[in-house]
């Protein structure tokens, strides 16, 4: 089989490209950031320090030769700290003590986005993500260290802020008063969104944007308190029922008395139409077919 000079050059070019790819796989590295992720580029060569070299934006791709840099990915999409105690949540409900010294269990969800402009992201990586070993995969999944870090930077400051707010209310209002729940949620949002929030104080910087908080229905930790309220409400309901029954009976008695009085008045009016009560009775007797005028007998001059 013979090949033309052109074919030989083409085969040589394909072979060279294949060899280059093989060498790249062995001795080179690169990145490919998804649309909802950014990356930190960190030096990882055998003779260089693990220092941050820069940031990689979303939807970017590059290949490097003769380098072994590492790329640590971070999400640009919204994340949350789920403290509702439900299946799949990050942790249990938050605990706060009310003004009247009752411990309440309060479900809270904090939503946020990580600041991913380069300076903030490098600072966050250097001070926290690298320290705690946080890693994100390109699909957005993460390791357990991310949850640990969120507990320290999001969960704990939120819990402390909620404590301070709930201390201003009695437990029954926290538990059952919708207006109180709305007020607590509003205050918690305002506190965490403030530039002086415990979030920023704890992290010694501002690393999160778009903070929003949802507060679920609080519950007293002590079940006996709920049971006591249930008994109290049952007693009130029973008393109200008996009171309503008493009012109904009184109304019925008053109605019957009014009827009796009306009948009596009618009777008096009928009697008043006669010269005397005796005349009225005689008229009634006649109306019924009897004779009120019975004969009088004299015996020895005395009526019998």
């Amino acid at each position: 089989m013979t090949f033309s000079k052109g074919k030989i050059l083409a085969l040589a070019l394909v072979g060279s490209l294949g060899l280059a790819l093989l060498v790249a796989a062995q001795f080179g590295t690169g990145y490919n950031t998804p649309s909802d992720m950014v990356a930190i580029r960190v030096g990882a060569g055998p003779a260089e320090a693990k220092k941050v070299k820069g940031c990689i934006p979303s939807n970017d791709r590059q290949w490097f030769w003769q380098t072994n840099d590492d790329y640590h990915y971070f999400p640009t999409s919204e994340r949350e700290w789920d403290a509702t105690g439900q299946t799949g949540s990050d942790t249990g409900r938050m605990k706060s003590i009310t003004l009247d010294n009752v411990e309440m269990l309060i479900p809270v969800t904090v939503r946020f986005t990580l600041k991913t402009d380069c300076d903030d992201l490098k600072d966050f990586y250097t001070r926290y993500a690298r320290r705690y070993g946080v890693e994100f995969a390109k699909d957005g999944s993460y390791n357990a260290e991310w949850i640990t870090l969120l507990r320290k930077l999001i969960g704990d400051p939120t819990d402390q802020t909620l404590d301070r707010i709930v201390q201003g209310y009695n437990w029954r209002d926290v538990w059952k008063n919708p207006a109180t729940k709305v007020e607590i949620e509003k205050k918690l949002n305002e506190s965490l969104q403030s530039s002086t929030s415990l979030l920023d104080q704890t992290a010694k910087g501002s690393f999160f944007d778009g903070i929003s908080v949802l507060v679920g229905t609080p519950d007293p930790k002590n079940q006996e308190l709920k049971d006591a309220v249930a008994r109290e409400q049952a007693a009130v309901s029973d008393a109200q029922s008996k009171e309503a029954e008493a009012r109904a009976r009184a109304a019925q008695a008053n109605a019957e008395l009014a009827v009796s009085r009306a009948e009596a008045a009618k009777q008096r009016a009928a009697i008043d139409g006669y010269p005397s009560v005796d005349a009225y009775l005689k008229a009634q007797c006649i109306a019924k077919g009897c004779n009120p005028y019975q004969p009088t007998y004299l015996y020895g001059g005395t009526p019998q």
Side-chain angles (χ1 to χ4, degrees):
M1 180 182 293
T2 58
F3 295 96
S4 66
K5 185 176 181 180
K7 287 184 178 181
I8 292 174
L9 289 174
L11 290 172
L13 180 61
V14 171
S16 298
L17 181 59
L19 179 61
L21 291 175
L22 180 61
V23 171
Q26 293 294 324
F27 303 105
T29 187
Y31 59 81
N32 181 9
T33 53
S35 60
D36 58 350
M37 303 290 283
V38 294
I40 290 286
R41 182 183 177 187
V42 179
E48 65 177 327
K50 288 184 175 296
K51 66 178 182 179
V52 175
K53 291 185 174 181
C55 304
I56 311 300
S58 301
N59 285 322
D60 199 7
R61 178 181 301 181
Q62 189 75 32
W63 192 267
F64 297 98
W65 302 93
Q66 296 181 341
T67 180
N68 290 308
D69 290 345
D70 289 333
Y71 297 89
H72 300 277
Y73 295 90
F74 294 93
T76 60
S77 57
E78 185 179 69
R79 297 280 156 163
E80 67 180 23
W81 173 253
D82 185 341
T84 62
Q86 300 176 351
T87 301
S89 62
D90 298 315
T91 188
R93 292 175 290 180
M94 295 186 177
K95 299 177 181 178
S96 296
I97 306 298
T98 62
L99 180 64
D100 44 359
N101 205 36
V102 173
E103 186 175 21
M104 303 295 293
L105 301 176
I106 306 176
V108 175
T109 302
V110 183
R111 294 194 172 96
F112 61 91
T113 54
L114 181 66
K115 288 185 176 180
T116 54
D117 57 280
C118 194
D119 289 340
D120 286 330
L121 189 60
K122 287 192 296 185
D123 195 18
F124 180 78
Y125 171 77
T126 302
R127 294 169 61 182
Y128 294 108
R130 180 165 62 186
R131 174 183 170 190
Y132 285 92
V134 171
E135 293 292 344
F136 278 87
K138 290 182 180 180
D139 62 2
S141 59
Y142 46 82
N143 60 4
E145 285 73 15
W146 171 245
I147 298 300
T148 300
L149 182 57
L150 285 187
R151 177 177 59 79
K152 293 179 178 293
L153 297 186
I154 297 287
D156 290 348
T158 299
D159 200 357
Q160 293 176 35
T161 304
L162 182 63
D163 285 343
R164 298 175 183 180
I165 295 171
V166 171
Q167 286 172 1
Y169 300 91
N170 290 320
W171 79 272
R172 287 177 183 250
D173 289 332
V174 176
W175 182 35
K176 286 294 187 181
N177 189 336
T180 298
K181 176 181 171 296
V182 170
E183 193 171 318
I184 289 173
E185 185 176 86
K186 181 174 182 292
K187 288 182 177 180
L188 187 56
N189 270 286
E190 291 173 347
S191 296
L192 296 182
Q193 292 166 4
S194 168
S195 59
T196 58
S197 72
L198 281 182
L199 295 178
D200 290 357
Q201 293 180 42
T202 301
K204 297 180 175 59
S206 177
F207 297 106
F208 305 104
D209 266 335
I211 299 289
S212 66
V213 185
L214 294 176
V215 176
T217 302
D219 251 342
K221 184 178 180 181
N222 188 347
Q223 181 63 37
E224 292 181 359
L225 290 176
K226 297 170 66 175
D227 294 341
V229 170
R231 289 193 297 270
E232 177 184 297
Q233 290 175 339
V236 169
S237 178
D238 184 57
Q240 290 175 340
S241 178
K242 290 180 178 178
E243 183 180 352
E245 183 180 357
R247 287 198 300 268
R249 289 182 178 179
Q252 182 179 0
N254 288 334
E256 291 175 352
L257 180 60
V259 170
S260 297
R261 287 175 176 174
E263 291 294 333
K266 181 180 178 181
Q267 189 73 16
R268 284 195 301 273
I271 293 173
D272 289 344
Y274 292 84
S276 65
V277 173
D278 184 63
Y280 169 76
L281 294 174
K282 288 179 178 178
Q284 295 299 307
C285 180
I286 293 171
K288 293 180 179 180
C290 66
N291 181 10
Y293 302 102
Q294 297 296 322
T296 302
Y297 299 96
L298 297 177
Y299 182 76
T302 303
Q304 300 293 318

